[in-house]
Amino acid sequence: MSAQRLPGPRRRRGAAHPADAEPIVLPLAPAEPPRLPAGPSFTGPLATYRGLLRRFLVVHRHLIGLAAGGLVAYVRALPPARRRRLHSPGVRLAAALVRPLLDRRLRDLPFPRQLRRRLELLGPTYVKLGQIMAIREDLLPAPVCHELQNLFDRLPPIPFPELRTVIEAGLGRRLDEMFVSVDEEPIGSASIAQAHRALTLEGDDVVLKVMKPGIRHAIEADLRLLRILGGVLQRLLPRYQPRRIIDEFAAYTSREVDFTYEADNAEMFAANFRGSPDVVFPRVFRDLSSPDVLTLEFLDGFRPGSAETASLSAEARERLIDLGAGSIIQMLYQDGFFHADLHAGNLLVLPGEPVRIGFIDLGMVGRFEDTTRRRMLYYYHALVTGDVDGAAKFLTDMATVGPGGDPQGFRRAVVDLSRRFVVHAARGEFSIAQLILESVGLGGRFAVFFPVEMTLMVKALVTFEGVGRMFDPKLDVAAVSRRHVSRVFQHHFNPQLLFRELLRGAPELIDVAVRLPQLTAAGVHRLEDLLSRRPPRNPLEGVRGSILAAACIVGGVIALIQGGPLALWAGLFALAALLAVWGK
């Protein structure tokens, strides 16, 4: 079979990419596009259930191992006095019995590290679950969250020939019919996908984001098992809300394994920021994309914190901080549609005159409905203006109170925490993201819970603060935020916008106005019926009147017999009471 050696993609100054790889060799002979692997190797009507059962056994084994490893770690962490003699005999005996059965590589590790390692061994679905758990410091202990943050590190890539099969099957054409060249060396490898540089036939520098083979089948099976597991764990550990975490994870992950959603997200962001040319999102090549393959414009830039950052002028640094703050605040509080996987690796500095900022990896997004978005805006505005009581009120309004919850206690705790942060702010140690994170973290103590979008929002703010301080170590986050929040307020209360909101509700208002006479007449008739209707007669009312009348007669007669002015007045009062009773 004849073959042609194709040149690698064009390189641009300042682009973040690995060293040049060997050019790939593409066969020119026509060939039928290969098909993706069909999941399990066995076939038949029970193949899906067999694969699910096999996966269940693997997950079950690791879950039991994690529980036993947690028991061993708990005993190991006991104070020395409680590990001697007859202290905690049952727990110590159980740990001694299960310890020889555990994997030697894991049994002596602290529980958070055991959890992370078992998630890695279970594969990409559970790595993604661990990444979601890593940002839920409002529900999980801080040591667990900190350890799980190691799951965001780069994962080992898979060989390019396997990805080539996915590309050609997903796009329905041979590789050389779509691209001049593709780099075999990836520029990124995550739990679900892998990214490669490429050059299209039209000469566009692009990034190919390719789903790893077999990932979708594995994730679908894992999500079924996780939902079952969530129901079981909810009964055992209701405090940590495992069902909530798993449901949120399943909703996000099911969208991440279909690149059509990411393509839609990129175009939605571009539409929201069409009036801000200095905030850039990669263009989508729809004709070279599918649910398994996503082709995006290659953004020529470098990541914050890289060596090129030091060459930026003070004016460029200040501009980047302003662009970053403005874009994140617009996403969160104006559009209600924000980048939910924001970290320094998903931001690019695009050099030039003027300098610009770019956002990439848009597969995971968060959404705020209108009511939540307005409350979030009011909450953030109260924070940056120092309104501690108002911030606590708006935060409590967004919470879901669980069984036995104490929202008032939560509100008081948030006020106390916020006041301590304000004291630190006077010394220049104020972090809005940390304040929000710790405030939300108080919820578990009071059985008050928040949606995952809240912690995703905090992640975006943490990224903004961290990246901003790369450019200016003395960054005043509150001062920068106040300017942009004020702009969002002006946008929300713009008379034209308010008039458009009024027009949106005009059909309902017109319907009520047309039916108002009918509704008014029906209300008046109902009121007349209620006023004219006599209350039901109490069957004991006659007995009560007779007893009262008899008492009045007896009292009056006794008073008159005894004589005297006071007796006379008492008799007259008794007769008056008798007349009143008879009048009824």
Side-chain angles (χ1 to χ4, degrees), residues 227-247:
R227 289 190 175 97
I228 298 173
L229 179 62
V232 175
L233 292 179
Q234 183 66 30
R235 297 179 178 273
L236 300 176
L237 303 168
R239 175 182 176 184
Y240 299 115
Q241 296 291 297
R243 179 182 294 168
R244 176 191 294 265
I245 295 176
I246 289 175
D247 288 344

Side-chain angles (χ1 to χ4, degrees), residues 34 64 96 115 194 196 228 249 338 394 399 470-471 512 530 540 542 581:
I64 293 177
L115 175 61
Q194 192 163 302
H196 291 257
I228 298 173
F249 164 74
F338 61 94
F394 292 127
M470 290 181 185
F471 299 120
V512 171
L530 292 175
L540 298 179
V581 172

Side-chain angles (χ1 to χ4, degrees), residues 427-462:
R427 301 198 298 264
E429 302 172 356
F430 184 63
S431 168
I432 293 180
Q434 189 65 27
L435 172 57
I436 299 175
L437 186 61
E438 292 193 19
S439 298
V440 173
L442 290 173
R445 187 189 310 171
F446 298 93
V448 172
F449 306 105
F450 295 89
V452 68
E453 284 80 11
M454 178 72 91
T455 51
L456 294 175
M457 178 206 71
V458 176
K459 185 180 178 184
L461 294 176
V462 168

